[in-house]
Amino acid sequence: MKTTIKDIAQATGLSPATVSLVLNNRPSRISDATRERVLAAAAELGYRSNSAAVSLRTGRSYSLGLIVPDIRNDYYATYAKGMEDACQEMGWSLILCSTNGNPERERQYIETLQAKSIDGIAVVTTPPLTGTQSFEANRDLILRMQIPLVQMDLTGYREPINAVVCDHEKGGYMATRHLISLGHQKIAFITGPSSLEGSSSRLKGCMRAFHDYGLPWDDKMLYEGDYTYAAGLDGIDYLSDRDFTAVFAFNDLMAYGVYNGLAKYSLSVPEDVSVVGYDDHFLSSIISVPLTTIRQPIYEMGKEAARILIYKTEHPDTKPVITWFDLKLIVRKSTRKIC
Amino acid sequence: MKTTIKDIAQATGLSPATVSLVLNNRPSRISDATRERVLAAAAELGYRSNSAAVSLRTGRSYSLGLIVPDIRNDYYATYAKGMEDACQEMGWSLILCSTNGNPERERQYIETLQAKSIDGIAVVTTPPLTGTQSFEANRDLILRMQIPLVQMDLTGYREPINAVVCDHEKGGYMATRHLISLGHQKIAFITGPSSLEGSSSRLKGCMRAFHDYGLPWDDKMLYEGDYTYAAGLDGIDYLSDRDFTAVFAFNDLMAYGVYNGLAKYSLSVPEDVSVVGYDDHFLSSIISVPLTTIRQPIYEMGKEAARILIYKTEHPDTKPVITWFDLKLIVRKSTRKIC
DNA sequence: CTGTTAGCGCCTTCAA
DNA sequence: TTGAAGGCGCTAACAG
């Protein structure tokens, strides 16, 4: 039914080995004449290599696994798309694993991926779990399996590890500086979980900006959210008796919650309160008051993650790669100058 | 390094075949004693089957392919999540293929999937391409490869085919009837591409509602969009000199465009104009004026798609399965009663 | 009830 | 420059 290298061998009167050699472009110098013959026959017969056979023989599968908490989240979907595009460019495949933040399910996936001789795994852990025991255990599992691993926004670990990272300290600084330069001095912050590196870095940046501009820092203006829409709403409830002219939400989803939270108190954006988000979710340019935000190049990070993984497959004994990405302030309508 | 059935065979003093038999729960009755022994050894040695070997031997891979235009689109991401969850429940994997609406890339994917001995493929074609020659060619390609295929919202074809479908005629009817029952008589419609079955069905439903309630139909109140945000904006521009009190956009994304388009003309929702969307995008409950919409059970459809595919793998010679899903009107704040 | 045998399709020595 | 042979890990016949 399906044509194999044997068929091509038969058709050309050559041996399967020779056919394999030319089909894989091996340096073993084959005469141009036979090469042509093989290629012609392969095209003629519509040859496609059987990846199970290749995989069994070589132990490689030319596919990567992506483990994310929830593919419906635009953030992860964008990352997935980046990886997927990079894979496609190089003829690789991507296996999608959505864990719902369940570490046990994550573990199962890792084992399935190993069974499939996956060549590399990219993991983005769900916020509340990062740094937990079960997550570390899963990471160790991957490492022990000797499968290349790329993480996102996670540099600190007991040993160096491949990663794609943004300088969130700088991101926090940029957002805060933007507000300060607009004349805001009373700024409220709705953060992510403090256990998350990305969140604590942002916060450090905020404090540094306050310090640089000689503003007094006040922990009471802080609400610790969890990156969900609801946390934005709750944050405004919590902060409602404070006095502020601006809010910096540590991601766009919470900023949307802030919008609606403020509306509840009849406060409008940006007239009464300026709002800055973080991520540049695709909706942020679309909503009625377009959101000023810090853009993360998630798509590019996904691409790079795939590239690192593929590179590691070819060069297993190289040092861990950490690629840094730039953040960018996108000024829209949700922030305004005050006197 | 990795333990194989041979290792287990050696450890237990049995043959690889026997080990395989118990590990796969084959009906060939094996004594409980040896079964126990094998299972114990497998656990002991941490055995995991090599799926490349299984795949090479059996021609099956226990994985499905999903081909979508863009995983960043919440609609497709939700479908993917449904499939992924169903796969996970049964120990299968999902390979993600995002085509960007490029038929050539779609074709490449199909061939890659075949090379991987994929057991089934779910395709959701990008709107402008549905029904085009290249798309039909790709579908034929899959069919010719004898790989089970599931489509979404696509029933009409020259031969019956597995599908998960909503009755969009009814959906169009429900949305229109809702507006009519609220007193609206001058309703504008922003449709999807007329070449799409889902869009033309909705439109038929709208017309039927008008007919049932004795309202005159007017083609001038129609704008053909393409399901993008921009189309919603454009639609309002196009309709700006018409007289209407309500708009029915054929998906939520276009409804968001309608919101902002109306704002441009200083029209507010729902005071001046009522708006109905379609899909129930996750943002529709979140935005400042929550959107009345028709909910499609996309997630469930994804689950069912995976189940159909897996079923087809076990029962290749059964008749095509078409599963219908119910639509539901979700009334929120974007529609109001007028006198 | 269990073991033997024979490949699935491919790649990789090694020999010619 | 090419061919022959062996085996990756597993399963399906067929024996015993």
Side-chain angles (χ1 to χ4, degrees), chain B residues 16-197:
Chain B
T18 310
V19 175
S20 171
L21 251 15
V22 345
L23 256 23
N24 291 298
N25 261 322
R26 278 299 139 80
S28 157
R29 293 144 307 175
I30 302 252
S31 75
D32 282 357
T34 55
R35 147 169 280 107
E36 287 305 320
R37 251 194 318 151
V38 169
L39 260 21
E44 172 95 18
L45 300 174
Y47 171 77
R48 313 246 84 218
S49 82
N50 176 323
S51 44
V54 175
S55 192
L56 177 57
R57 187 61 241 242
T58 63
R60 301 182 45 187
S61 62
Y62 298 95
S63 40
L64 304 179
L66 169 62
I67 300 181
V68 288
D70 178 12
I71 191 63
R72 282 196 69 182
N73 184 317
D74 182 58
Y75 188 86
Y76 304 121
T78 306
Y79 193 67
K81 188 170 188 181
M83 284 192 69
E84 221 272 334
D85 283 351
C87 283
Q88 213 274 342
E89 279 169 19
M90 322 200 50
W92 286 52
S93 306
L94 185 69
I95 294 181
L96 177 64
C97 309
S98 200
T99 63
N100 275 326
N102 179 344
E104 168 55 16
R105 188 160 160 180
E106 185 173 288
R107 199 189 52 75
Q108 276 178 33
Y109 271 130
I110 293 169
E111 301 205 325
T112 305
L113 290 175
Q114 184 195 29
K116 290 198 180 287
S117 317
I118 209 83
D119 291 320
I121 301 181
V123 180
V124 190
T125 319
T126 186
L129 286 172
T130 312
T132 60
Q133 216 176 350
S134 50
F135 173 60
E136 307 261 311
N138 284 338
R139 172 159 47 188
D140 287 343
L141 185 58
I142 298 175
L143 261 22
R144 224 176 312 122
M145 288 172 173
Q146 310 259 47
I147 302 175
L149 167 69
V150 164
Q151 304 238 139
M152 179 188 231
D153 277 353
L154 234 151
T155 52
Y157 189 50
R158 61 179 115 87
E159 49 196 309
I161 205 167
N162 304 307
V164 287
V165 195
C166 283
D167 184 350
H168 294 300
E169 198 272 348
K170 195 168 155 198
Y173 187 88
M174 285 160 61
T176 310
R177 185 182 55 190
H178 169 66
L179 288 170
I180 294 174
S181 73
L182 253 27
H184 296 276
Q185 306 224 2
K186 291 171 288 186
I187 304 174
F189 299 90
I190 299 186
T191 74
S194 55
S195 61
L196 276 185
E197 202 177 310

Side-chain angles (χ1 to χ4, degrees), chain A residues 66-134:
Chain A
L66 168 63
I67 301 183
V68 288
D70 178 12
I71 192 62
R72 283 197 68 183
N73 184 317
D74 182 57
Y75 187 86
Y76 304 120
T78 306
Y79 193 67
K81 189 170 187 181
M83 284 193 69
E84 221 271 335
D85 283 351
C87 282
Q88 214 272 344
E89 279 169 19
M90 323 200 48
W92 287 52
S93 305
L94 185 69
I95 295 182
L96 176 65
C97 309
S98 201
T99 64
N100 274 327
N102 180 345
E104 168 54 18
R105 187 159 159 180
E106 185 173 287
R107 198 189 53 73
Q108 278 178 33
Y109 270 130
I110 293 169
E111 301 206 325
T112 306
L113 290 175
Q114 183 195 31
K116 289 197 179 288
S117 317
I118 210 85
D119 290 320
I121 302 182
V123 180
V124 190
T125 319
T126 185
L129 286 173
T130 312
T132 59
Q133 218 177 351
S134 49

Side-chain angles (χ1 to χ4, degrees), chain B residues 114-292:
Chain B
Q114 184 195 29
K116 290 198 180 287
S117 317
I118 209 83
D119 291 320
I121 301 181
V123 180
V124 190
T125 319
T126 186
L129 286 172
T130 312
T132 60
Q133 216 176 350
S134 50
F135 173 60
E136 307 261 311
N138 284 338
R139 172 159 47 188
D140 287 343
L141 185 58
I142 298 175
L143 261 22
R144 224 176 312 122
M145 288 172 173
Q146 310 259 47
I147 302 175
L149 167 69
V150 164
Q151 304 238 139
M152 179 188 231
D153 277 353
L154 234 151
T155 52
Y157 189 50
R158 61 179 115 87
E159 49 196 309
I161 205 167
N162 304 307
V164 287
V165 195
C166 283
D167 184 350
H168 294 300
E169 198 272 348
K170 195 168 155 198
Y173 187 88
M174 285 160 61
T176 310
R177 185 182 55 190
H178 169 66
L179 288 170
I180 294 174
S181 73
L182 253 27
H184 296 276
Q185 306 224 2
K186 291 171 288 186
I187 304 174
F189 299 90
I190 299 186
T191 74
S194 55
S195 61
L196 276 185
E197 202 177 310
S199 177
S200 57
S201 301
R202 285 175 182 67
L203 191 57
K204 275 188 208 124
C206 301
M207 294 168 86
R208 181 161 63 88
F210 263 56
H211 179 264
D212 282 4
Y213 288 88
L215 260 33
W217 182 260
D218 179 3
D219 273 343
K220 291 211 190 63
M221 298 293 265
L222 229 62
Y223 176 81
E224 182 173 324
D226 60 0
Y227 288 138
T228 63
Y229 169 80
L233 278 175
D234 295 346
I236 294 303
D237 278 337
Y238 172 84
L239 295 162
S240 59
D241 57 353
R242 307 286 192 294
D243 180 29
F244 57 86
T245 63
V247 179
F248 173 26
F250 279 19
N251 76 349
D252 284 4
L253 216 48
M254 293 197 297
Y256 303 155
V258 166
Y259 271 39
N260 288 355
L262 290 171
K264 251 176 50 187
Y265 293 94
S266 305
L267 261 18
S268 53
V269 180
E271 290 73 14
D272 302 311
V273 177
S274 287
V275 178
V276 177
Y278 204 102
D279 281 353
D280 198 20
H281 192 284
F282 85 102
L283 275 159
S284 297
S285 60
I286 283 180
I287 46 178
S288 51
V289 179
L291 181 67
T292 294

